[in-house]
Amino acid sequence: MAHRKLNAEKIVVASHNAGKIKEIAELLAVYKSTVISSAELNLSEPVEDGDSFIANAEIKARSASKESGLVALADDSGLVVPALNGDPGIHSARFALHPETNKRDFNYAMKKLWDGLEAIKDDDRSAYFACALSVCWADGHMESFEGRVYGTLIYPLRGKNGFGYDPMFVPDGYDKSFGEMTAAEKQKISHRANAFKQLTNACF
Protein backbone atom coordinates (compact mmCIF):
# COMPACT_ATOMS: atom_id res chain seq x y z
CA MET A 1 0.00 0.00 0.00
CA ALA A 2 1.33 3.43 -0.96
CA HIS A 3 1.67 5.89 1.89
CA ARG A 4 0.19 9.37 1.63
CA LYS A 5 2.66 12.24 1.78
CA LEU A 6 2.33 14.66 4.68
CA ASN A 7 2.82 18.16 3.32
CA ALA A 8 0.26 20.14 5.33
CA GLU A 9 0.92 23.78 6.24
CA LYS A 10 -0.40 23.12 9.75
CA ILE A 11 -0.29 19.96 11.85
CA VAL A 12 -2.21 19.55 15.09
CA VAL A 13 -0.41 17.54 17.76
CA ALA A 14 -3.39 15.80 19.35
CA SER A 15 -2.23 16.05 22.96
CA HIS A 16 -2.69 18.06 26.14
CA ASN A 17 0.55 16.63 27.63
CA ALA A 18 3.18 19.39 27.64
CA GLY A 19 6.10 16.91 27.62
CA LYS A 20 4.80 14.99 24.61
CA ILE A 21 3.90 18.17 22.72
CA LYS A 22 7.45 19.50 23.24
CA GLU A 23 9.13 16.26 22.06
CA ILE A 24 6.90 15.92 18.98
CA ALA A 25 7.29 19.60 18.07
CA GLU A 26 11.09 19.19 18.26
CA LEU A 27 10.93 16.12 16.01
CA LEU A 28 8.81 18.07 13.49
CA ALA A 29 11.02 21.17 13.64
CA VAL A 30 13.03 20.23 10.53
CA TYR A 31 9.87 20.26 8.42
CA LYS A 32 8.03 23.33 7.17
CA SER A 33 4.67 22.70 8.81
CA THR A 34 3.43 24.94 11.62
CA VAL A 35 2.81 22.80 14.71
CA ILE A 36 -0.06 23.57 17.08
CA SER A 37 -1.52 21.45 19.85
CA SER A 38 -4.99 20.33 20.88
CA ALA A 39 -4.42 22.27 24.10
CA GLU A 40 -3.82 25.52 22.17
CA LEU A 41 -6.97 24.96 20.10
CA ASN A 42 -9.05 23.93 23.12
CA LEU A 43 -9.97 20.65 21.47
CA SER A 44 -11.74 18.00 23.52
CA GLU A 45 -9.94 14.96 24.93
CA PRO A 46 -11.65 11.84 23.56
CA VAL A 47 -12.18 8.68 25.62
CA GLU A 48 -9.23 6.38 24.92
CA ASP A 49 -10.95 3.01 25.03
CA GLY A 50 -8.81 1.20 22.46
CA ASP A 51 -7.12 -2.11 23.24
CA SER A 52 -3.67 -1.13 21.90
CA PHE A 53 -1.36 1.87 21.62
CA ILE A 54 -2.21 2.23 17.92
CA ALA A 55 -5.97 2.04 18.56
CA ASN A 56 -5.75 4.84 21.14
CA ALA A 57 -3.49 6.99 18.95
CA GLU A 58 -5.99 6.66 16.11
CA ILE A 59 -8.88 7.68 18.39
CA LYS A 60 -7.01 10.86 19.36
CA ALA A 61 -5.85 11.70 15.82
CA ARG A 62 -9.34 11.17 14.35
CA SER A 63 -10.98 13.32 17.02
CA ALA A 64 -8.50 16.21 16.67
CA SER A 65 -8.66 16.18 12.88
CA LYS A 66 -12.46 16.11 12.85
CA GLU A 67 -12.75 19.02 15.32
CA SER A 68 -10.03 21.18 13.75
CA GLY A 69 -10.43 20.32 10.07
CA LEU A 70 -6.62 19.94 9.94
CA VAL A 71 -4.15 17.09 9.67
CA ALA A 72 -3.65 15.70 13.17
CA LEU A 73 -0.75 13.71 14.61
CA ALA A 74 -1.42 11.72 17.78
CA ASP A 75 0.85 9.78 20.05
CA ASP A 76 -0.06 7.01 22.44
CA SER A 77 2.74 5.59 24.46
CA GLY A 78 3.50 3.75 27.63
CA LEU A 79 5.74 1.46 29.60
CA VAL A 80 5.32 -2.31 29.27
CA VAL A 81 6.71 -4.56 32.02
CA PRO A 82 6.64 -8.28 31.08
CA ALA A 83 7.02 -9.48 34.70
CA LEU A 84 3.80 -7.59 35.55
CA ASN A 85 1.85 -9.15 32.67
CA GLY A 86 2.54 -6.12 30.47
CA ASP A 87 1.28 -3.53 32.95
CA PRO A 88 0.97 -0.58 33.05
CA GLY A 89 0.95 -0.68 29.21
CA ILE A 90 -1.86 1.31 27.60
CA HIS A 91 -2.92 2.39 31.10
CA SER A 92 0.44 4.04 31.89
CA ALA A 93 -1.06 7.50 32.42
CA ARG A 94 -4.02 6.19 34.45
CA PHE A 95 -1.60 4.13 36.57
CA ALA A 96 -0.02 7.42 37.69
CA LEU A 97 -3.23 8.88 39.16
CA HIS A 98 -2.66 9.45 42.87
CA PRO A 99 -5.62 8.14 44.90
CA GLU A 100 -5.62 11.16 47.23
CA THR A 101 -5.26 13.99 44.71
CA ASN A 102 -6.62 12.24 41.59
CA LYS A 103 -3.79 13.94 39.69
CA ARG A 104 -0.95 12.30 37.78
CA ASP A 105 2.06 11.74 40.01
CA PHE A 106 4.79 9.77 38.30
CA ASN A 107 6.98 9.56 41.40
CA TYR A 108 4.06 7.79 43.06
CA ALA A 109 3.59 5.62 39.94
CA MET A 110 7.25 4.59 39.75
CA LYS A 111 7.33 3.64 43.44
CA LYS A 112 4.09 1.64 43.00
CA LEU A 113 5.55 -0.10 39.95
CA TRP A 114 8.75 -1.01 41.76
CA ASP A 115 6.82 -2.25 44.80
CA GLY A 116 4.83 -4.46 42.44
CA LEU A 117 8.01 -5.99 41.07
CA GLU A 118 9.45 -6.51 44.54
CA ALA A 119 6.23 -8.19 45.71
CA ILE A 120 6.35 -10.95 43.09
CA LYS A 121 9.96 -11.86 43.94
CA ASP A 122 10.81 -11.91 40.23
CA ASP A 123 14.33 -10.89 39.20
CA ASP A 124 13.15 -9.85 35.73
CA ARG A 125 13.43 -6.06 35.54
CA SER A 126 13.21 -5.84 31.76
CA ALA A 127 10.76 -3.39 30.22
CA TYR A 128 10.13 -1.47 27.05
CA PHE A 129 8.58 1.81 26.06
CA ALA A 130 6.19 1.65 23.11
CA CYS A 131 4.99 4.61 21.08
CA ALA A 132 2.29 4.61 18.43
CA LEU A 133 2.04 7.60 16.10
CA SER A 134 -1.08 8.07 14.00
CA VAL A 135 -1.69 10.74 11.37
CA CYS A 136 -5.25 11.51 10.34
CA TRP A 137 -6.10 13.71 7.38
CA ALA A 138 -9.29 15.78 7.18
CA ASP A 139 -10.89 13.19 4.87
CA GLY A 140 -10.39 10.47 7.50
CA HIS A 141 -7.36 8.77 5.89
CA MET A 142 -5.12 7.31 8.60
CA GLU A 143 -1.50 6.15 8.75
CA SER A 144 -0.09 4.51 11.92
CA PHE A 145 3.36 3.42 13.09
CA GLU A 146 4.76 1.90 16.30
CA GLY A 147 8.26 2.15 17.74
CA ARG A 148 9.85 0.57 20.80
CA VAL A 149 12.96 0.90 22.94
CA TYR A 150 13.99 -1.92 25.29
CA GLY A 151 15.73 -1.57 28.62
CA THR A 152 15.84 -2.28 32.35
CA LEU A 153 13.99 -0.72 35.26
CA ILE A 154 15.95 0.69 38.21
CA TYR A 155 15.16 2.08 41.66
CA PRO A 156 16.04 4.51 43.27
CA LEU A 157 15.21 6.90 40.43
CA ARG A 158 17.99 8.63 38.52
CA GLY A 159 17.80 12.00 36.79
CA LYS A 160 15.21 14.74 36.47
CA ASN A 161 15.07 15.19 32.71
CA GLY A 162 12.35 13.89 30.44
CA PHE A 163 8.96 13.07 31.90
CA GLY A 164 6.77 10.18 33.00
CA TYR A 165 8.68 6.97 33.81
CA ASP A 166 11.99 8.20 32.34
CA PRO A 167 13.99 8.29 35.63
CA MET A 168 13.55 4.54 36.23
CA PHE A 169 14.31 3.32 32.69
CA VAL A 170 17.85 2.54 31.45
CA PRO A 171 17.83 1.66 27.73
CA ASP A 172 19.79 -1.40 26.62
CA GLY A 173 23.43 -0.59 25.81
CA TYR A 174 23.52 2.55 27.98
CA ASP A 175 24.38 3.30 31.61
CA LYS A 176 22.22 6.42 31.87
CA SER A 177 18.49 6.47 32.56
CA PHE A 178 16.25 8.46 30.23
CA GLY A 179 15.95 10.87 33.16
CA GLU A 180 19.71 11.49 33.05
CA MET A 181 19.92 11.97 29.28
CA THR A 182 19.62 15.28 27.47
CA ALA A 183 16.67 15.67 25.12
CA ALA A 184 19.04 15.23 22.16
CA GLU A 185 20.50 12.01 23.57
CA LYS A 186 17.06 10.54 24.26
CA GLN A 187 15.67 11.50 20.87
CA LYS A 188 18.35 9.49 19.09
CA ILE A 189 17.11 6.22 20.56
CA SER A 190 13.64 6.71 22.06
CA HIS A 191 10.48 4.81 21.18
CA ARG A 192 8.97 8.07 19.93
CA ALA A 193 11.99 8.76 17.71
CA ASN A 194 11.78 5.18 16.37
CA ALA A 195 8.10 5.59 15.48
CA PHE A 196 8.75 9.04 14.05
CA LYS A 197 11.51 7.68 11.82
CA GLN A 198 9.05 5.15 10.39
CA LEU A 199 6.48 7.89 9.84
CA THR A 200 8.91 10.25 8.11
CA ASN A 201 10.28 7.50 5.87
CA ALA A 202 6.72 6.74 4.76
CA CYS A 203 5.02 10.13 4.69
CA PHE A 204 7.63 12.87 4.17
Side-chain angles (χ1 to χ4, degrees):
M1 181 188 76
H3 294 284
R4 184 181 290 188
K5 294 302 176 184
L6 183 54
N7 53 8
E9 289 184 12
K10 288 185 179 179
I11 298 175
V12 179
V13 176
S15 179
H16 291 72
N17 179 313
K20 284 187 181 182
I21 292 165
K22 183 173 183 290
E23 281 197 5
I24 293 172
E26 287 171 353
L27 289 166
L28 284 168
V30 296
Y31 302 99
K32 295 179 181 178
S33 301
T34 299
V35 178
I36 48 179
S37 71
S38 288
E40 291 175 84
L41 295 177
N42 266 332
L43 303 183
S44 60
E45 295 187 71
V47 176
E48 298 172 38
D49 54 4
D51 60 1
S52 68
F53 292 110
I54 284 179
N56 283 332
E58 290 184 347
I59 287 168
K60 289 184 277 193
R62 188 176 290 110
S63 175
S65 182
K66 188 174 181 180
E67 283 191 36
S68 68
L70 300 169
V71 173
L73 172 62
D75 154 296
D76 195 65
S77 55
L79 180 68
V80 177
V81 184
L84 297 177
N85 299 314
D87 287 340
I90 60 172
H91 306 298
S92 292
R94 197 178 310 163
F95 188 83
L97 286 177
H98 197 288
E100 294 178 7
T101 63
N102 205 35
K103 293 182 179 178
R104 287 177 191 167
D105 181 341
F106 282 97
N107 284 325
Y108 159 79
M110 288 183 280
K111 178 68 165 63
K112 182 170 67 166
L113 197 59
W114 191 258
D115 286 347
L117 284 171
E118 294 281 279
I120 61 173
K121 303 284 191 290
D122 192 324
D123 291 336
D124 183 7
R125 298 291 183 263
S126 65
Y128 65 87
F129 275 117
C131 171
L133 288 178
S134 295
V135 184
C136 187
W137 280 258
D139 64 358
H141 179 78
M142 188 85 70
E143 304 260 353
S144 296
F145 309 86
E146 184 174 310
R148 294 181 179 182
V149 58
Y150 291 85
T152 302
L153 298 181
I154 57 164
Y155 207 87
L157 309 176
R158 286 178 9 209
K160 295 185 178 179
N161 296 333
F163 60 96
Y165 298 91
D166 284 356
M168 76 179 309
F169 182 84
V170 177
D172 287 346
Y174 293 81
D175 55 12
K176 284 182 180 179
S177 75
F178 269 176
E180 294 173 300
M181 291 184 177
T182 64
E185 287 174 319
K186 180 184 172 185
Q187 283 180 7
K188 287 179 183 176
I189 60 169
S190 78
H191 49 309
R192 190 165 289 109
N194 182 305
F196 195 79
K197 189 180 297 181
Q198 295 177 48
L199 185 155
T200 53
N201 286 342
C203 298
F204 282 94

